Amino acid sequence: MYTMMLVDDDYISREGLRDLIDWDSLGIEITGEAEDGAEALLVARDLRPNIVITDVVMPVMDGIQFVDKLKHEQPAVMVIMISAHQDIQYVKASIKLDAIDYILKPFNREELKQVVAKVVAKLDKERAEKQLKDDVSQYYSGSISSTGLPVIVDSIEKIVGLCSTGQTDALTTEVQQLFITIRQLKMESMLFLTTICSELLIKAIRKASVLVDSAIAQEVKESLHQFRTMQSPQQIELFVLEKLIYLEMASNELRNSKSRRIIRDVEGIIHKIYYQNLTIGQLAAEVFMSPGHLQTLFKKETGHTINDYITHVRLKKAQELLKDASIKIYEVANQVGYQDTHYFTKIFKKVVGVNPMEYREKML
């Protein structure tokens, strides 16, 4: 869990930041707040947060001055600067102070989430490298090369990043490359391999645990004791690959099940309100996805685009209505979501093969 501090002279803005994102899900706890830079500096000295989100324009001490002083005292702190002012001087100052990003108000949840995710990834990487150095130093007393270890840490982080993404081939390639690198660096001690591979699998389990059944995650976790019985680096490599692919298959199964459920929900919404001016953005918001992601997922699961599916549902309903001679053609068009009768007729003929009037005559 990382700690975060909010600095803004506007209480409403701070409240909005607190409520905009589920910070717990990102592994972040908001531990402090301040109304200006001077107060923030005192609070930060006491709390030593990992992350600071600060406004730029504030009374007493502005955000630029605050971050400048804070960075001198706590150089490792990650800073995100926010402002309602698109002033190039503020942006330049933020870059000079090594701020992670400069976000203009008003910003949305996804924009802020992406920036914070970038900060967390950077903190995770730094923490992983430090942890690995600490673990390895117990056995190697400083003999690990300063260039070798960061390469291995990067490789491990890349592998963890690929876990539970459905990219099984890429994951396998990265694991194989990790062991090639270890051999090239002559770091094949069984103790070293056991240490780093245990950490790798623990991180993979942690990441997969939000997708797979808890029993599966626990099963893999309990299997880690098998490292003690292994006799060669090749045996460790095969074991790591086996467990990662097992987690990957379990993740894929649950992901596919979840994807199918989402698509069923979207289809249900379309069938319920097909006559409204439906947009992909509206449907995506209903299932808490980005429009682009939903479009890709829908096409993958059904073989059709969302717009084609909406058209299919509307025209099926139109065919039912056309069997009632008392309903005029333009009324049918309006009832299934088309305000332009000419466009409705054109689409109907293109899909059904005949125009609405010809279809009605054929059915009656």
Side-chain angles (χ1 to χ4, degrees):
M1 184 73 76
Y2 297 111
T3 58
M4 185 171 74
M5 181 176 163
L6 305 177
V7 187
D8 197 316
D9 59 316
D10 183 353
Y11 174 77
I12 301 298
S13 292
R14 294 202 310 277
E15 192 174 55
L17 280 169
R18 282 198 303 272
D19 298 337
L20 191 61
I21 291 176
D22 179 3
W23 296 107
D24 280 346
S25 68
L26 295 176
I28 294 172
E29 179 186 3
I30 298 173
T31 55
E33 297 184 19
E35 295 183 353
D36 61 69
E39 180 190 1
L41 194 59
L42 294 173
V43 175
R45 283 170 181 162
D46 182 42
L47 298 178
R48 301 192 69 81
N50 302 115
I51 307 166
V52 170
I53 297 182
T54 180
D55 194 9
V56 173
V57 180
M58 296 183 292
V60 186
M61 180 189 291
D62 66 28
I64 302 297
Q65 294 171 306
F66 159 57
V67 174
D68 185 31
K69 292 179 184 295
L70 180 64
K71 280 282 188 178
H72 277 92
E73 297 180 12
Q74 300 177 39
V77 68
M78 300 284 178
V79 177
I80 300 168
M81 306 197 83
I82 57 175
S83 177
H85 304 273
Q86 193 171 7
D87 190 316
I88 191 64
Q89 297 305 318
Y90 291 148
V91 178
K92 285 181 177 179
S94 298
I95 294 170
K96 189 176 179 181
L97 292 169
D98 197 28
I100 296 295
D101 215 323
Y102 184 96
I103 310 177
L104 286 173
K105 297 178 181 178
F107 43 81
N108 60 43
R109 179 186 289 115
E110 285 307 311
E111 181 183 11
L112 181 60
K113 203 170 182 179
Q114 285 174 13
V115 174
V116 173
K118 183 166 66 174
V119 172
V120 170
K122 194 168 181 179
L123 286 168
D124 282 345
K125 186 175 178 182
E126 290 177 359
R127 181 176 282 183
E129 186 164 339
K130 182 180 183 304
Q131 182 64 50
L132 193 52
K133 283 179 180 177
D134 290 345
D135 289 344
V136 171
S137 66
Q138 296 178 41
Y139 314 118
Y140 282 81
S141 303
S143 63
I144 294 296
S145 70
S146 58
T147 55
L149 196 57
V151 171
I152 291 171
V153 170
D154 283 343
S155 183
I156 289 172
E157 290 303 306
K158 193 177 289 186
I159 291 167
V160 174
L162 287 167
C163 289
S164 303
T165 63
Q167 302 177 69
T168 308
D169 290 343
L171 181 64
T172 301
T173 300
E174 285 301 329
V175 172
Q176 292 169 341
Q177 185 57 53
L178 169 64
F179 280 85
I180 289 170
T181 301
I182 289 170
R183 284 194 289 274
Q184 290 172 342
L185 293 169
K186 303 186 186 307
M187 297 165 67
E188 285 189 290
S189 155
M190 293 296 287
L191 202 51
F192 174 68
L193 287 175
T194 297
T195 301
I196 66 166
C197 289
S198 294
E199 291 197 13
L200 168 57
L201 287 178
I202 287 169
K203 286 186 174 185
I205 293 165
R206 191 178 299 132
K207 185 174 180 184
S209 63
V210 299
L211 288 172
V212 304
D213 187 277
S214 58
I216 292 175
Q218 187 61 28
E219 177 190 339
V220 176
K221 191 173 182 179
E222 289 175 357
S223 72
L224 298 187
H225 75 274
Q226 295 177 39
F227 277 123
R228 294 197 297 268
T229 66
M230 294 180 191
Q231 304 296 316
S232 68
Q234 291 75 23
Q235 202 175 354
I236 290 179
E237 181 176 354
L238 287 173
F239 178 79
V240 169
L241 265 175
E242 177 192 328
K243 296 307 174 185
L244 288 176
I245 290 173
Y246 179 51
L247 287 171
E248 196 67 20
M249 290 172 64
S251 299
N252 286 343
E253 186 177 337
L254 197 63
R255 186 186 298 107
N256 291 337
S257 173
K258 183 179 178 182
S259 296
R260 287 190 291 271
R261 190 164 60 251
I262 289 171
I263 297 309
R264 284 198 299 271
D265 288 346
V266 170
E267 289 174 341
I269 294 167
I270 292 171
H271 277 277
K272 188 176 179 181
I273 56 172
Y274 61 88
Y275 52 86
Q276 294 184 12
N277 183 26
L278 275 174
T279 66
I280 293 171
Q282 178 188 351
L283 290 169
E286 289 287 337
V287 292
F288 307 102
M289 293 181 75
S290 70
H293 189 188
L294 178 59
Q295 289 184 85
T296 302
L297 185 63
F298 196 94
K299 182 68 182 290
K300 180 183 175 183
E301 290 291 325
T302 68
H304 304 287
T305 67
I306 294 175
N307 284 330
D308 283 347
Y309 189 79
I310 293 171
T311 300
H312 167 76
V313 172
R314 285 174 168 175
L315 295 187
K316 276 290 182 185
K317 183 63 178 176
Q319 288 173 59
E320 291 176 22
L321 294 172
L322 285 167
K323 293 174 184 177
D324 184 346
S326 67
I327 307 175
K328 295 181 172 55
I329 300 294
Y330 77 88
E331 291 175 331
V332 171
N334 290 344
Q335 286 184 41
V336 299
Y338 295 102
Q339 302 307 310
D340 186 331
T341 307
H342 176 71
Y343 180 70
F344 164 68
T345 301
K346 182 180 176 182
I347 292 293
F348 191 96
K349 185 172 184 178
K350 180 181 177 181
V351 175
V352 181
V354 293
N355 67 39
M357 184 59 74
E358 290 169 335
Y359 181 85
R360 168 170 280 174
E361 290 171 354
K362 187 177 175 182
M363 290 295 107
L364 294 177

